Amino acid sequence: QVQLVESGGGLVQAGGSLRLSCKTSDVDFRHSNMGWYRQAPGKEREFVAATSWSDSSTYYSDSVKGRFTISRDNAESVVYLHMNSLKPEDTAVYYCNAVRRESSVWAPQLTSWGQGTQVTVST
């Protein structure tokens, strides 16, 4: 059974940093593009970042480019999201998923999601 377990969220002041982790089980991690999404209260879930399985290329939404870094550990089947210079508008629940490229967007590949990890950025 596929499992996605996100962790590492918390409460941080604006300008601070956090590192999120997503441990996967029963996913062909080495051959899966992996991504992070987030959902703020009252808003749709949105794409944040992705890393490809073939060459670990990285992709970011404009809102986090230059501040967030996605990375992966294939040996441990874990994908990370390093978040720096956090802003109050980054407050959301963050989720990971396997992703696929569809035209110009990264779409989630797995129908089930983990519980997510809450990130709250205070002013």
Side-chain angles (χ1 to χ4, degrees), residues 106-118:
W106 287 98
Q109 191 164 340
L110 303 172
T111 55
S112 61
W113 295 82
Q115 83 290 347
T117 186
Q118 175 71 49

Side-chain angles (χ1 to χ4, degrees), residues 32-37 47 49-51 97-101 106-110:
S32 295
N33 302 317
M34 295 299 300
W36 284 94
Y37 294 80
F47 168 79
T51 175
N97 205 318
V99 296
R100 63 180 183 274
R101 190 75 173 175
W106 287 98
Q109 191 164 340
L110 303 172

Side-chain angles (χ1 to χ4, degrees), residues 48-115:
V48 174
T51 175
S52 71
W53 70 269
S54 58
D55 60 2
S56 295
S57 296
T58 56
Y59 307 84
Y60 301 94
S61 67
D62 288 342
S63 61
V64 308
K65 199 173 296 182
R67 299 187 298 121
F68 290 11
T69 302
I70 187 171
S71 63
R72 61 192 297 156
D73 183 337
N74 288 336
E76 298 295 328
S77 298
V78 176
V79 60
Y80 299 100
L81 187 66
H82 306 258
M83 306 187 297
N84 296 319
S85 303
L86 282 161
K87 304 176 181 180
E89 50 264 43
D90 295 318
T91 294
V93 179
Y94 284 72
Y95 302 88
C96 70
N97 205 318
V99 296
R100 63 180 183 274
R101 190 75 173 175
E102 290 185 351
S103 299
S104 60
V105 300
W106 287 98
Q109 191 164 340
L110 303 172
T111 55
S112 61
W113 295 82
Q115 83 290 347

